Amino acid sequence: MRIERLELDGFGRFAGVTWRLGPGLTVLLGPNEAGKTTLLNGIRALLFGFEATREGRAWYPAFAGGRRGGRLTLITAAGDTWSVERHGERGGTGSLVVRAPNGNTGGQETLDRLLAGVDRELLTNVFAFGLGELQALGSLAGEGVRSRIYGAGSGLGGMSAADLEQQLRSRQEAIFRPRGRDQDLNRVAARMEELRERIAELEQEPARFEALHRELAEVGAERDRTEKERRACAESAARARRIGDAMGPAAALVVAEAELATTDPATDDLPDGTDAELVRLLAEQVAAEDARVAAERAVGAVDARIGALTVDERLLEQRDEIVALADERPLQAARIAGLPELRASHAGAVAELTALAARAGGSAAWLLGLDDSVAAIQATRDAAAHLDVAQRRLERAEARLDTLQRAEAQECGTDDLADVDPAELAARRAAVRALTEDRLRSTFAAGERERAAALRTLVASGTALLAGVAVLAVLLTGSSPILAGAVVATGVVVAVVAVRLLAPPTTRAPASRHAALLAAAGLPPDADDAAVERAGDALAAAQAGLAARDGRHGLAVGRDGARHDAAREREEALAAVGEAGSTWAAWVRSSQLPEGASPEAARQVLALVDLGRRAHADADATAQRLAADVRADDAYGERVDGLLERLGRRPVPPEARIGAVLGLVSELDATRAAADRCAALHEERRRAERVQAQSAERAERASAMLSALLERHGVPDAVALRERLAVGAARRGVHARVRELRATLGGIAGGDARVAELLGLIAATDPDRQAVERQESERRAVELDARMDELSSRAGELRLEAAQLEQGAELGRLRQELAVAEGRATALAREWAVRAIALRLLEETRRRYERERQPRVVQDAAGYFERITGGAYERIVAAPGEATVRVESATGAPRLTDELSRGTAEQLYLALRFGLIEQFARTAEALPVVMDDILVNFDEERAARAAAAVRSLAERHQVLYFTCHPWTARLLDPDGGRTLGLD
């Protein structure tokens, strides 16, 4: 089984991240705090739930965002795809969903079946572990792990043989100990001695009991004789059994000793472990030579790779300038892209200014020099209004004169006025005069209001200036804020009073009055000023007609007078128009307006001044920006050209400068990468040279040690030594068999000292006769046992009868207590003997188990341990049921884990985990293995061998290795093709 996809929605520093993982080995490399341990605990949490919270805070909260948890996509060996999804905000199992390949979903039971019963303890300590778990054997002593290491193949399950031995020995010592006092059997024996002494004192043998006692003595004597004969028969039968049991081992012993006699006894002096030392030296010599050759090849390969790299030193020298130009590239590009727009904006502003000046009838300088202030505009309006009033007066006078002339031409015109009411005519003329006066007042008030508005603006500006001066005075001189406030308040009051005083009175007649006057004048409601003037002229003519009707004699006189008045009024109006025209012409000349400009034209020209000034300001601003950008572009080009010149390259056109900078950046990146790669290759070459030198030194050392070994054993070469070792090994095997046979015979004979006697008996015994004697002795022993039972029964009867005849209760009680104590002592003695025999058998069995039968998991672990330590340790011994292990070096010397260095102990614990992983895969599907920087305490050689062991394990299991050390990543993945970065 392997992890194909790991997703963390939210866990620690990770949020919404996904990793796709391939089979075999994957190295995840990242600096400290990149999240390696977080990722390891994330995998543990997805499989077995979240760690419990502390003080209300969850371990590894989703502080980067997202929902706490994620999912694993698992691929089994059969190719089936499973999904394990778990989320939870606090500790505990959270919400778990397991999706099967067929789409069905399950929970914890489904996950347990999928993981073949692996629990959190086994996963944390064996399949997903870090340096903390690796550094202590205690992490392998839990019940879930311990049963797989020490219970496999021992037949004891979770029971410890050492614990069992300790229990047996403790109980044995609690029963009996020589010269002890507090043990059970010691206390019973002491009490029995006290009872016998007391009974001896109380016992008296009266005459009436003499016959009973004599019979008891006779029964006792016969019982003793029968017991003696029974023991003799039992000994004879036992001796016959021993001889029968010893015949086979004795015959094998004769054969083994004869085999020893045929081989060279000088090979017995070969030290133990010579063959292992020879193999180790030969292997070390070959391995060192292979390593030297490989290192030499590696040096050549690195040299070739270095030669293939090209590093431009001049580019590296100009690195800062290239980077600076590249950083300015976006600004320069934007600047170049904006030049056409700036030029167009400048040309547009100049063209607009020129067009405005042409419309005004002059040059741009003339237009910009005109005065368009509020006072100038108001003065223009006043001059135009004065001219307009004079022209209107002239028009009215000419209209009146024309009316009188037409009236004079109509000789019968007075007849048409017969129906005119003089009172009504007078009222209508009064209304027309009132309308004319209102219009004149309104025209005058409009001019006054415009002048008042200009003055109010000036007063408000002066007030603001006064307030600013006051505040500035406070800030600069530190004057009293109260004084400044008083100045400002005074200015405000003055401004308010001035504005109120300068506000013109409202002279415009109300709309109701104007409508009433129009109605009284006989005019429609929408009549304009011209209609009012015409009505006034018509009414004046009518009034003249009425006068003619009333007195013809005065008609001529009146007509002449009216015509004379009208002519005089016309002359006065013409003079006023001339005067107003002269005033206007003088104003036009003083204001530098076009000669002969009308008031309307003057107003339009002054309106164009503001537009022209805005266009001129835009032209100046764009011109300045354009000049600045051109200067910046030229400076950038000079820097690029200078850089190219320093690099020995030709300048490029302005439009190609940015492309040239980009090219230099690419070349700089390539050169920097080549330089970094070259430095790394030089470092790699130095390491390879060190390995080459070390390998050569190791090869020489191994050769010297091999020569010393051959010289020590007096053989010319390794082949001869192997032959001599083979003979010695064979003789050691025969010697071991002889020792085992003699030990067997010693057990049968009752001691090693009696083996010779037993062999003599075997030599002098006829097997057929021995079988007959054995059968006879066993038959006789059975008969004597029956007689012993009869005598014991009779003795009991006699003692019971004697007890009934005894006087005194104390003696009977003591004898009864003595009988109970004797029975208790017999039971305790039997229990002590059984435990002593069981203890001896258990010790012998454990020693033989340690020598001959180790669990497969320990054998696999021993292979890994020997590989990692370079053959320094060949065996791992795990006593059945014990939570401790010991190791044996190549010389056979045993060492406990407490006697190992920190690095070697970690290597032992790593090998045990590898053995567990291999053993688990034999009975269930292989699980992924996750390791977190476990090689940091290994030396260089053992770290390399441990990395090779990890790669070997990854051939059969998916292995995820987290590290922050690049050298560890290179050891595990030399080509870098299976390394992922965590940043």
Side-chain angles (χ1 to χ4, degrees), residues 65 86 151 230 252 364 383 444 481 499 503 556 560 581 633 654 750 825 861 911 970:
R86 191 187 299 267
R230 189 186 68 80
F444 176 78
V499 169
D560 291 340
D633 182 48
R970 289 193 294 270

Side-chain angles (χ1 to χ4, degrees), residues 243-576:
I243 292 173
D245 294 341
M247 283 185 177
L253 180 62
V254 172
V255 174
E257 289 178 344
E259 186 177 350
L260 287 175
T262 59
T263 56
D264 184 9
T267 58
D268 292 342
D269 297 333
L270 291 173
D272 293 339
T274 303
D275 52 349
E277 184 179 5
L278 175 61
V279 171
R280 181 179 61 80
L281 291 176
L282 290 174
E284 185 172 352
Q285 187 178 23
V286 172
E289 183 62 24
D290 292 344
R292 186 192 66 77
V293 172
E296 185 176 355
R297 291 176 181 172
V299 170
V302 171
D303 289 338
R305 291 159 67 187
I306 292 175
L309 294 174
T310 302
V311 179
D312 191 341
E313 296 295 339
R314 288 190 294 182
L315 273 177
L316 293 177
E317 292 175 358
Q318 301 299 323
R319 174 178 55 192
D320 295 340
E321 181 65 12
I322 293 172
V323 172
L325 289 173
D327 291 342
E328 295 177 17
R329 180 184 56 81
L331 180 60
Q332 176 65 13
R335 186 184 298 124
I336 294 174
L339 286 176
E341 183 179 353
L342 285 176
R343 291 191 178 97
S345 298
H346 179 263
V350 172
E352 183 180 359
L353 177 60
T354 303
L356 291 172
R359 285 176 58 190
S363 65
W366 165 78
L367 181 64
L368 295 175
L370 292 178
D371 184 7
D372 63 339
S373 64
V374 174
I377 293 174
Q378 185 60 42
T380 303
R381 290 177 179 173
D382 292 344
H386 183 65
L387 179 61
D388 183 63
V389 169
Q391 288 178 346
R392 287 180 178 275
R393 179 181 177 186
L394 177 61
E395 290 174 358
R396 288 195 302 272
E398 288 179 347
R400 180 181 180 188
L401 182 60
D402 183 66
T403 301
L404 291 173
Q405 290 174 353
R406 286 197 306 271
E408 187 178 359
Q410 296 176 358
E411 294 180 358
C412 298
T414 56
D415 294 338
D416 297 331
L417 300 175
D419 297 330
V420 175
D421 184 7
E424 180 181 357
L425 181 61
R428 291 176 64 186
R429 288 192 68 187
V432 169
R433 281 195 300 271
L435 288 172
T436 302
E437 290 172 356
D438 288 345
R439 177 175 60 80
L440 292 175
R441 283 195 297 271
S442 176
T443 301
F444 176 78
E448 291 298 317
R449 280 196 298 273
E450 290 178 353
R451 285 190 294 273
L455 290 175
R456 284 197 302 274
T457 302
L458 182 61
V459 170
S461 300
T463 303
L465 179 61
L466 180 62
V469 170
V471 173
L472 183 61
V474 171
L475 294 177
L476 294 179
T477 65
S479 300
S480 172
I482 299 176
L483 177 60
V487 172
V488 173
T490 303
V492 171
V493 171
V494 171
V496 171
V497 172
V499 169
R500 289 178 176 262
L501 292 176
L502 291 175
T506 301
T507 57
R508 182 74 179 183
S512 59
R513 168 183 166 82
H514 185 72
L517 291 174
L518 287 175
L523 295 175
D526 57 347
D528 56 5
D529 294 339
V532 171
E533 290 179 358
R534 288 193 300 272
D537 294 339
L539 290 174
Q543 182 66 41
L546 286 177
R549 186 189 64 181
D550 294 335
R552 287 184 178 273
H553 62 277
L555 178 60
V557 177
R559 183 183 304 117
D560 291 340
R563 185 171 59 250
H564 180 268
D565 292 339
R568 182 176 51 77
E569 185 178 354
R570 178 175 177 276
E571 291 299 328
E572 292 175 355
L574 282 173

Side-chain angles (χ1 to χ4, degrees), residues 58 212 220 409 424 427 450 461 478 522 571 706 752 832 876 894 911 936:
L212 181 59
E424 180 181 357
E450 290 178 353
S461 300
E571 291 299 328
L706 180 61
D752 294 341
W832 185 89
I876 297 176
V936 294

Side-chain angles (χ1 to χ4, degrees), residues 158 207 234 275 311 362 396 462 505 553 598 610 634 852 863 953:
D275 52 349
V311 179
R396 288 195 302 272
H553 62 277
S598 66
D610 182 61
D634 294 340
E852 301 174 2
L953 182 71

